[in-house]
Each structure stands twice: as C-alpha cells, then as structure tokens.
Amino acid sequence: MQTELAPFIRGTSRGDEAEAILRKCVHCGFCTATCPTYQLLGDELDGPRGRIYLIKRMLETAQAGDQTRLHLDRCLTCRSCETTCPSGVEYGRLVNIGRAVVEELAPRRPLQQSIWRRVIAELVSRPRVFKKTVALGRIAAPLLPQVVADKMARIPRAGTWPAPRHGRKWLVLSGCAQPTLAPDVNAAAARLLDRIGISLVEVRHDGCCGALRFHLDDERGSRKDASSLIAKWLPQIDRGEVEGVLVTASGCLAFMREYSHLFASDPNGMARVSRLVPVLHDVSELVASNWTAIAPLLPADSERIRLVFQSPCTLQHGLRIRGTIERLLESAGFDLTPVTDAHLCCGSAGSYSLLNPGIAQRLRDNKIEALLAGDPAGIASANVGCIAHLASGTRQPVRHWVEWLEARIAAAS
C-alpha cells in the first residue's frame, strides 16, 4: 500500500512504524473473514481493511473526525486478522497508533463518554478500590447498568493458598480485576504447583499491568502502572530469588510481552523491560514443562468429563499459544467438545464490554451458543475478562482451566 504521510508524523518513530505496516497491506481482504465486528455488522469500515484505510487517510491528511474514532473504537483488538493475514500486517500495532493519533486530531469526546472511560480506568486498575466498588455494586445492583450488574452476579470465593515452602519459587501476577472477579485462579495455580515442589508468591497489591489504561488511550498512565509493577518485581528477579514470573491472565501477558512498545522512548524503562520480559510465562507453559510430575497426581481410571475450552484472543492470536491447554486438559481426563468459529472473540476485550455493550453482548451470546453446542459440563478459559463476560450470559460454570485441572487432582488426593 503506497503512502505519503503528512508532515506532522513523517519521520517520527511512530510514523515510520505505521508506514512500514501500511506498506505490507495488499488489500486482499482475507482479514474480513475472521473479523468479529465485520461478521456482525457487515460494514467494511468495521473490518481491518476498512480501518487500515481510515488510519492511512488520517496519517496522510492530518485530519480525523468522530467517524474515524467510532470505527477504531469498535475494534476489539482481538488480532484474529493478524493470524489470518498472509502478508504479516501487524494490525494490532497499527490500530494502537491510529487510536493515539485520533485522540490528538479529532474533536474531544463527549463529556459523558470521557467521564465513563476515566471512571473505568480509575476504579478497575486499583485492586483495593475495585474490590470495594464491586462489594458496594453487588448491594446496589438494581440501580446499576445491566452490563455492569451482570458481571458482579457470579463471583466465586478464593480457596486456600499454600504457604511458600519450596526452594523453587515463582512470582505470580495478582493484577487489578482478577483478585476480585476470579479470586481462586492464582490460588488454584499455587495449590497445583505446590504439589510438585514449586511455590507461587504474590507481591501484595502489585497492581495493573498497564493494559487497561493503554486501551483507554492513556499511554502515560499505562506506563506509570507498568513501571510500578516492574519496580516491585525486579529486585527478586535480579537477586535470583525466583525463577520467573507466572501470569494466569492471557490478556495481561500478551500486553506485557510487548512492553518494548510502551517504553520505546524511555531508555531506562527499556533496560528494565529487557530483564523482565524474558522471564514472563503463561501458566500453561510452566504446567506443560512440568507435566511429567503432574500427570501421576491425576485420578486413575476415573470417569472422563465433557468440557469445552474457550481460547481467548490474547492466547491464540496475541501469545500464539494454540493447542497446549487443550492437550493438557485432554491428558487430564477431560473430553473437549468442538467449538464452531473458535477464532472469533467472545466480546470481552478488556474494557470493551463496558464501552460497547451492545456489540459485546451479541458476540458473547454467539460465543456461548457455540461453546454449549456440544453439551459440556462446563466452560474453561484462560483469561479473567473472558471468564467474567461469559459467566454473565450463562448458568453453566465458567472457570479458568487451571481451576478445572486442580479440582480434578484434588478429588483424587
């Protein structure tokens, strides 16, 4: 795709990056076939190719309006299009650049919209504040918007967390929303790994990874959250007290593994990121590498359980981890039912379901229909946002896959 960038961005680091990405696009349209919003809305501008044209035009004319912002806002950033694209177009990076430029060039957002985005950022990214807010919200649920009340309706309790007692130790991200919305996920991972001689350790109130604010167009706030998190972890990493950092939310890990983009203009930050990113691991990677120690803990000759796995977009398209969790679950005695259009987003996408509830709920309902078609006993996922979003639309149990696995092992002990 030929481009001629406007002077305001020509020759800048983000301009050069955007131009390189744009030049890879050959207009083939393969991406539209796997784009959830295009499939749902049927509008070319709500598909990757159309959004690429909008961004190109904006960068060439230095002009942007509400129309451009609307279609970029509607993008889930699921990155399914990247998996499909034969030319390797890094659409996720391009849309992030486009959103940042829109905020500079377009008229200000309506006041109500700006306030709602700020409220989400300030409440959710602060774990202690979010926990108190959810507690109050459950009391006042009848007064809240339905999209918010639904997410608070089915919050499980946290189970026991074994004390760190092993020589092998890993840090684990606590995060911002997960301790409240899915409090037993990390505890279940800790119980599972404790059985094979690995202790998980949380840094109390480590906080948000920065993804939430970043996707709400607050790059400075995102960098501040990320810097705080890194500062809390690096001392133990640098002293060799832990083997690495485990992340049980695929959405957080996908963002953290790309911290280099967030700190590109900060040499000191980049130096710290270079020490952190290599030791970040999804929980599935650690479980898979230790499967020979875990497998004997499973019940022998027990009845197999029908389960369905919802692979979050951040897992399959962001982290490119595909098939690993499915193989682990099948080895653990679960029969996984097939999922039609498994590549399509469930509609959660971080704060998206709160900002675009109509689209998000339609995607959720479509996803639940596909997940339950095989009549499973429950739904497994790998990301807190997906778990909360799906649970708001079905009575079937929706749990992190580690919770399903740990419960099966616990039943055999």
Side-chain angles (χ1 to χ4, degrees), residues 125 206-210 213 220-230 259:
S125 67
D206 54 8
C208 184
C209 66
R213 291 185 189 274
R220 180 180 297 179
S222 172
R223 195 156 40 243
K224 184 177 179 180
D225 284 344
S227 295
S228 175
L229 185 63
I230 294 169
Y259 268 168

Side-chain angles (χ1 to χ4, degrees), residues 188-265:
R191 294 193 297 271
L192 171 65
L193 294 172
D194 178 70
R195 294 174 184 271
I196 61 168
I198 300 174
S199 290
L200 284 193
V201 182
E202 282 186 332
V203 174
R204 187 171 174 79
H205 305 309
D206 54 8
C208 184
C209 66
L212 181 68
R213 291 185 189 274
F214 183 84
H215 293 299
L216 289 168
D217 307 315
D218 182 7
E219 187 171 326
R220 180 180 297 179
S222 172
R223 195 156 40 243
K224 184 177 179 180
D225 284 344
S227 295
S228 175
L229 185 63
I230 294 169
K232 292 173 182 175
W233 282 349
L234 275 186
Q236 293 184 63
I237 294 170
D238 290 342
R239 291 194 299 264
E241 296 173 3
V242 295
E243 296 181 25
V245 179
L246 201 66
V247 184
T248 57
S250 61
C252 298
L253 182 59
F255 182 74
M256 295 164 72
R257 280 196 172 163
E258 297 182 351
Y259 268 168
S260 57
H261 295 305
L262 187 63
F263 290 92
S265 60

Side-chain angles (χ1 to χ4, degrees), residues 328-352:
L328 292 174
L329 289 173
E330 287 172 346
S331 297
F334 294 98
D335 288 329
L336 299 186
T337 61
V339 183
T340 303
D341 292 330
H343 61 280
L344 291 180
C345 184
C346 71
S348 173
S351 60
Y352 188 95

Side-chain angles (χ1 to χ4, degrees), residues 1-23:
M1 182 180 289
Q2 295 299 310
T3 60
E4 184 62 40
L5 301 188
F8 85 100
I9 200 167
R10 186 188 309 142
T12 65
S13 59
R14 66 179 179 177
D16 290 343
E17 183 179 8
E19 187 169 33
I21 296 171
L22 286 167
R23 288 180 181 275

